[in-house]
Amino acid sequence: MTTRLSPNFTLQELCITQHRDIDNRPPTEVIKTLRETARRMEGVRAELDDRVITVTSGYRSPELNRRVGG
């Protein structure tokens, strides 16, 4: 199931990680912030003539952040 945060961004793409052994699902209160982030990224995308934006790290759980040295 895909959770769309905005027309061009999904929750899944903002939370994807190569570390499959870590649960990187954000808590409900963080999803609200990610929705706002996606809304703002839509504005950036519009400024760039609707160019695709690739997200490499939209959210990191505390465990994932420790694992990657963040």
Side-chain angles (χ1 to χ4, degrees):
M1 175 186 241
T2 301
T3 303
R4 190 149 297 282
L5 298 175
S6 70
N8 293 293
F9 298 98
T10 67
L11 179 61
Q12 290 71 20
E13 76 178 297
L14 294 181
C15 298
I16 196 164
T17 179
Q18 295 174 354
H19 300 274
R20 302 288 181 214
D21 59 322
I22 295 176
D23 182 2
N24 197 46
R25 288 177 292 183
T28 303
E29 60 273 11
V30 172
I31 294 173
K32 292 176 186 175
T33 302
L34 290 172
R35 195 173 303 280
E36 176 63 16
T37 300
R39 185 188 70 76
R40 290 174 182 231
M41 288 191 319
E42 291 291 348
V44 171
R45 190 178 153 122
E47 288 288 321
L48 297 172
D49 295 323
D50 211 31
R51 206 171 341 169
V52 173
I53 296 173
T54 302
V55 178
T56 58
S57 185
Y59 170 76
R60 290 182 188 165
S61 66
E63 181 182 359
L64 178 58
N65 200 45
R66 278 190 297 279
R67 173 82 65 90
V68 299

